[in-house]
Amino acid sequence: MSSMEAEETLKVLCDEIDADFVKDIVQKYIESYQETIVIIKESLAQQNKQELASKAHFMISSSAYVGGNTLGQLFRELEEMAKADDLSKASEKIAEIEAEYQEIKKVLDKYC
């Protein structure tokens, strides 16, 4: 489960780096996610596949950095849909992303 991965990743970062630095990273990730998911939804509504793919790609590594590997994989799948010019299941994928984010956010909130 991705929330366990996030918990482990953030604990290691706190131990190896600095808890305040990790707090800053987590806050920036949350802000970035919130801004980016809005743009992704707007891009889908406008059928702007290039923007959707770009924003999904941006979130892949960002999610992995805070231990959200499953979330990053979901963003990768969304990016691939956009690049393949097939957004027929993009709404469902975005719903999966949002559900996974809610699980990860429970862990992230502990570090804010």
Side-chain angles (χ1 to χ4, degrees), residues 29-85:
Y29 175 79
I30 291 170
E31 291 169 12
S32 179
Y33 171 86
Q34 291 170 342
E35 293 168 5
T36 303
I37 200 70
V38 169
I39 295 168
I40 285 173
K41 289 177 181 180
E42 289 171 352
S43 297
L44 177 59
Q46 298 166 359
Q47 295 291 298
N48 185 341
K49 296 169 193 85
Q50 184 176 8
E51 180 73 7
L52 195 151
S54 172
K55 293 303 180 184
H57 180 80
F58 170 75
M59 291 305 297
I60 294 168
S61 58
S62 299
S63 297
Y65 192 73
V66 296
N69 297 325
T70 301
L71 187 56
Q73 180 58 38
L74 292 170
F75 276 113
R76 182 178 311 283
E77 292 167 10
L78 183 62
E79 176 190 23
E80 290 170 1
M81 287 177 181
K83 286 183 173 181
D85 200 28

Side-chain angles (χ1 to χ4, degrees), residues 2 9-10 34 43 75-76 78 100 103 106:
S2 195
T9 298
L10 294 171
Q34 291 170 342
S43 297
F75 276 113
R76 182 178 311 283
L78 183 62
E100 182 65 21
E103 289 300 312
K106 292 174 188 174

Side-chain angles (χ1 to χ4, degrees), residues 13 18 24 29 38 53 62 64-65 68 90 92 101 106-108 111:
L13 287 174
D18 176 62
D24 188 47
Y29 175 79
V38 169
S62 299
Y65 192 73
E92 292 90 348
Y101 173 75
K106 292 174 188 174
V107 174
L108 298 177
Y111 291 85

